[in-house]
Amino acid sequence: MAKLEYDEHGRLLFTKEMKEEYTLLVPMMLPIHFSMLQSIFAREGYKMEILDTQNSNIIQMGLKYCHNDICYPAQLTIGQLMDALQSGKYDINKVAVVLTQTGGGCRASNYISLLRKALERAGLSHVPAVSMNFSGLEKNPGFELTPKMFYEMINAVIYGDLLMALHNQTLPYEKEAGASQRLVDYFVNMLNNDFAKGESMGPKAIRKKMDEIVSAFAKVPVHPRNKVRVGIVGEIYVKFAPLGNNNLEEFLLKENAEPVVPGLLDFILYTADTAMEDYKRYGGKLLRPLVTTAVMKIMTGIQKDMIKAMEKPGCFHAPSSFKHTKNLAGKVIDHGVKMGEGWLLTGEMMALIDEGVNNIVCTQPFGCLPNHVCGRGMMRRIKSIHPDANIVAIDYDAGATKVNQENRLKLMLATARKIAVH
Ligand code: SF4
């Protein structure tokens, strides 16, 4: 075991020595995106393992080591890490655990402290808990996110969003089973190699690669694209993570529907945008908004390129731009509502309807007040503007039964098909 070092507040640090020897365990959220992020970290010398476990012990661990009243995503992510640590698969003297820390006002900023408490209760307080954040919240000498890594991570996110959208629009219609998944694997592998080499990718190279990806998917032989399209929105973890939403996408595919999942980049843009809103409303130092504006310009530029690439072949539905989603959200909710997914959640529902996706599943985790306000709380207002909107809120928690969730989803799908016939 490496020598343990603590900061002035008694927080166990992840040291440079640990970087050489330790494996970093990270809870899975988005398989395509996280695979590329893992490659970026591997090139920088980190041994990182993304946990894709899905067993009933995970939630038991979450309930055992977290307070029962804490948000369901915290129970699952901490539960997944504790399950891995106690699985016997890892040398617990050479392992560290990682959680993201958004830095917003929501409880997600405190998951890392809850994780440390869980480690302490399990007699594992010598395992470092590393916060992954871009706001300088917690620093570790052996864990550094450089501007180059940040830029590459944004690229990985946009490629992930693109591949996820193309896969979702191709898989339900492919004539040869597995054709779409093979393309996802091929491109993820190719991009992982690029990230592993660390070659810098400028906007021109990214555009070229996106065109290549889109045209490959456009060539997949498909049946007519005419299934019921169902949007998935909600709290970020239960929206994306199959563990959090009981494999919702898989269920919708089985029910002969096409899942439509707004990408991760919008959430990152939303997080940056809230810093700007704060500055506009409450003032503060000018440097932060200046830097944020420059970073947002890069991100929105890449998103614009992705939308253009998706529109080119004429067979795919491109997602809305962040700016458009924000404008649509503003018709229903104030842009100052920024706890959790805040106005973005409402905006994503409005944008989906604007794109013609009237059927929406709003995933709601237990213990999540912000998303109950911005998700369930906004439905009546959205329906008053769009009477055809067919939105269902599904609760996800340790006690919710899959059967109950699926029955509600089937009811929503039945309504969707009835509307489609008329
Ligand atoms: S958004 Fe909801 S689930 Fe996520 S930390 Fe906040 S309260 Fe918890």
Side-chain angles (χ1 to χ4, degrees):
M1 195 192 338
K3 188 170 154 262
L4 301 185
E5 290 175 24
Y6 298 86
D7 74 357
E8 66 276 20
H9 305 292
R11 173 172 63 86
L12 177 61
L13 296 169
F14 184 78
T15 61
K16 288 185 175 152
E17 191 190 347
M18 290 172 177
K19 184 184 170 186
E20 305 295 316
E21 303 173 3
Y22 279 40
T23 301
L24 290 156
L25 302 181
V26 183
M28 169 65 85
M29 189 168 77
L30 278 155
I32 297 175
H33 300 63
F34 276 37
S35 156
M36 286 183 271
L37 298 181
Q38 191 178 13
S39 297
I40 297 167
F41 277 92
R43 191 202 61 230
E44 296 293 319
Y46 297 94
K47 283 190 279 301
M48 188 174 265
E49 188 170 324
I50 312 287
L51 300 172
D52 58 2
T53 41
Q54 277 213 33
N55 61 62
S56 57
N57 191 48
I58 291 174
I59 189 59
Q60 294 314 320
M61 288 284 122
L63 290 168
K64 183 173 174 189
Y65 291 111
C66 299
H67 194 284
N68 283 3
D69 280 349
I70 195 63
C71 332
Y72 188 50
Q75 291 174 1
L76 284 177
T77 48
I78 294 172
Q80 192 174 39
L81 290 168
M82 299 307 290
D83 173 68
L85 290 174
Q86 298 189 3
S87 66
K89 191 177 162 197
Y90 305 96
D91 177 351
I92 53 161
N93 292 319
K94 290 206 171 152
V95 74
V97 286
V98 182
L99 274 185
T100 50
Q101 208 179 5
T102 55
C106 215
R107 286 187 275 186
S109 297
N110 299 319
Y111 283 10
I112 194 82
S113 316
L114 299 173
L115 174 59
R116 289 199 182 101
K117 277 191 186 159
L119 290 167
E120 209 177 303
R121 287 170 75 188
L124 296 168
S125 46
H126 63 284
V127 174
V130 180
S131 154
M132 194 187 292
N133 71 81
F134 289 99
S135 40
L137 277 173
E138 279 189 7
K139 291 187 176 146
N140 286 282
F143 190 84
E144 197 196 355
L145 298 174
T146 62
K148 183 182 179 200
M149 285 173 80
F150 177 73
Y151 178 68
E152 288 177 324
M153 285 164 84
I154 293 301
N155 291 345
V157 167
I158 201 77
Y159 284 129
D161 285 353
L162 177 66
L163 285 165
M164 181 172 75
L166 293 169
H167 183 52
N168 280 340
Q169 293 183 37
T170 311
L171 174 67
Y173 309 103
E174 62 191 11
K175 286 187 173 167
E176 188 204 337
S180 160
Q181 186 58 51
R182 271 201 299 280
L183 275 184
V184 171
D185 295 343
Y186 171 79
F187 283 114
V188 167
N189 194 26
M190 183 185 87
L191 293 163
N192 277 341
N193 285 336
D194 289 348
F195 286 124
K197 281 186 222 145
E199 287 167 0
S200 77
M201 275 190 242
K204 206 172 154 193
I206 296 170
R207 277 197 292 273
K208 201 171 156 217
K209 205 143 274 185
M210 288 198 291
D211 283 343
E212 188 189 336
I213 295 172
V214 175
S215 69
F217 272 88
K219 284 183 196 132
V220 175
V222 287
H223 298 289
R225 288 183 159 91
N226 55 9
K227 296 191 178 186
V228 166
R229 302 180 76 214
V230 179
I232 301 176
V233 299
E235 185 276 340
I236 184 166
Y237 182 80
V238 292
K239 167 184 162 186
F240 288 131
L243 177 65
N245 60 32
N246 276 333
N247 299 300
L248 175 57
E249 281 186 55
E250 203 180 290
F251 174 78
L252 291 173
L253 285 166
K254 249 196 283 168
E255 290 297 313
N256 218 18
E258 177 194 322
V260 184
V261 190
L264 178 60
L265 189 70
D266 279 335
F267 181 78
I268 298 171
L269 279 162
Y270 155 80
T271 311
D273 188 79
T274 54
M276 304 297 294
E277 282 296 328
D278 278 354
Y279 180 74
K280 271 190 236 155
R281 284 161 199 257
Y282 313 117
K285 288 186 185 149
L286 189 61
L287 183 67
R288 198 169 168 211
L290 283 178
V291 174
T292 309
T293 308
V295 173
M296 283 185 75
K297 211 171 157 197
I298 295 170
M299 293 195 281
T300 48
I302 300 178
Q303 189 183 53
K304 224 185 265 172
D305 289 338
M306 182 193 101
I307 292 170
K308 267 194 210 156
M310 277 193 81
E311 282 169 345
K312 263 184 211 166
C315 56
F316 297 119
H317 298 276
S320 298
S321 68
F322 177 75
K323 193 175 164 203
H324 187 55
T325 304
K326 186 176 176 185
N327 286 341
L328 290 172
K331 292 183 180 176
V332 184
I333 193 168
D334 192 272
H335 290 141
V337 182
K338 60 185 181 70
M339 290 299 130
E341 279 59 38
W343 62 257
L344 178 68
L345 172 47
T346 317
E348 284 183 341
M349 289 195 272
M350 291 289 283
L352 281 165
I353 296 166
D354 188 57
E355 291 160 30
V357 184
N358 282 352
N359 313 298
I360 298 171
V361 181
C362 184
T363 58
Q364 306 267 160
F366 170 79
C368 181
L369 180 65
N371 282 283
H372 276 77
V373 173
C374 308
R376 201 192 295 266
M378 289 298 128
M379 286 177 192
R380 184 189 281 221
R381 175 92 179 97
I382 292 174
K383 281 182 186 172
S384 73
I385 301 171
H386 299 287
D388 275 354
N390 176 29
I391 313 175
V392 63
I394 305 285
D395 293 314
Y396 290 90
D397 66 68
T401 66
K402 201 175 176 196
V403 174
N404 196 16
Q405 290 162 347
E406 292 186 350
N407 280 343
R408 287 176 55 74
L409 289 165
K410 281 181 183 171
L411 211 59
M412 181 274 295
L413 287 169
T415 310
R417 292 200 170 101
K418 220 184 278 171
I419 295 171
V421 169
H422 288 103

